[in-house]
Amino acid sequence: RLRGSNPMLIEVTRIKDCSALPAILDQIVDVLIGTLRYKKYDAFDVATAVSEVSQNTFDHNSKRMTYGFLAMQVYGADKGRFLEIGIADSADGLAASLARNPKNGPICSDGEAILKAVQIGTSEYDDPTRGSGLYHLLQIAYRHQGCVQIRSGTAKVRYRGDKRQGWIFNVGRLPGVQVALILGS
């Protein structure tokens, strides 16, 4: 009954195809501009990167039936406000996806797959127009002093906007890829 009544919250939403994304991205842009006072082009950059990462659910999956999830929430008040966007899928994971492109070379661990996946042009596909989503997400986080956390398989890498490096953590295995983007005002 109350679903969708708070513009600063997108409840965990199942994304079964890309048709659900435009309305979600519009809400993210509205919050970035109206609540966090981002410039219009910065808000659209965030929406574009979120769209690209969300579409990976369908583009990099060998399974016939898959879906993703997206959620957003704004925390805090006034100048202390920050936004967190979470994107998750039940797809193959980064190591399996990247291994399908021989140009990526051998991938020895899930942590290595994450580190490779954030490099521009790294993709499952041998196509120079692919492989920019995670890279752009990191650039946005660096530009706005935010952070990005990427989890795949048995690894999680956390990137902070004030440090241009990732910290790798070993974690319990989960299917797919989970990405969190945190941006302040």
Side-chain angles (χ1 to χ4, degrees):
R1 180 169 74 98
L2 296 175
R3 187 172 183 89
S5 63
N6 181 350
M8 292 191 286
L9 172 70
I10 297 173
E11 294 91 348
V12 175
T13 302
R14 184 176 175 168
I15 301 172
K16 57 184 177 187
D17 60 42
C18 295
S19 67
L21 286 175
I24 292 170
L25 297 173
D26 286 346
Q27 185 174 348
I28 291 170
V29 167
D30 289 346
V31 167
L32 286 166
I33 293 171
T35 303
L36 298 178
R37 304 288 182 226
Y38 274 57
K39 293 177 181 164
K40 187 176 180 179
Y41 61 84
D42 286 332
F44 283 115
D45 278 350
V46 173
T48 300
V50 168
S51 176
E52 289 174 2
V53 172
S54 298
Q55 289 178 31
N56 287 346
T57 297
F58 311 105
D59 292 347
H60 300 287
N61 187 8
S62 64
K63 301 173 190 166
R64 298 188 88 209
M65 295 198 38
T66 190
Y67 50 88
F69 293 99
L70 192 144
M72 178 202 75
Q73 186 164 357
V74 175
Y75 299 91
D78 301 324
K79 290 190 185 256
R81 281 194 169 147
F82 66 95
L83 164 126
E84 183 170 5
I85 299 170
I87 305 162
D89 66 44
S90 61
D92 299 333
L94 291 171
S97 176
L98 294 178
R100 290 192 279 268
N101 182 347
K103 286 190 174 181
N104 291 326
I107 297 171
C108 299
S109 69
D110 291 315
E112 182 183 334
I114 295 170
L115 295 175
K116 192 171 278 207
V118 299
Q119 297 173 12
I120 190 79
T122 301
S123 175
E124 167 185 353
Y125 303 104
D126 188 11
D127 178 346
T129 65
R130 305 294 294 262
S132 62
L134 292 174
Y135 172 82
H136 282 124
L137 205 64
L138 278 182
Q139 298 311 305
I140 288 165
Y142 294 152
R143 195 167 45 247
H144 297 286
Q145 297 299 299
C147 58
V148 172
Q149 183 170 285
I150 303 167
R151 180 180 175 145
S152 183
T154 59
K156 171 176 73 172
V157 180
R158 183 168 174 85
Y159 296 90
R160 288 179 21 189
D162 60 339
K163 310 274 186 196
R164 290 192 176 243
Q165 70 180 72
W167 286 269
I168 300 175
F169 301 91
N170 293 319
V171 294
R173 177 170 296 284
L174 278 180
V177 179
Q178 300 79 44
V179 177
L181 170 66
I182 300 169
L183 296 172
S185 54

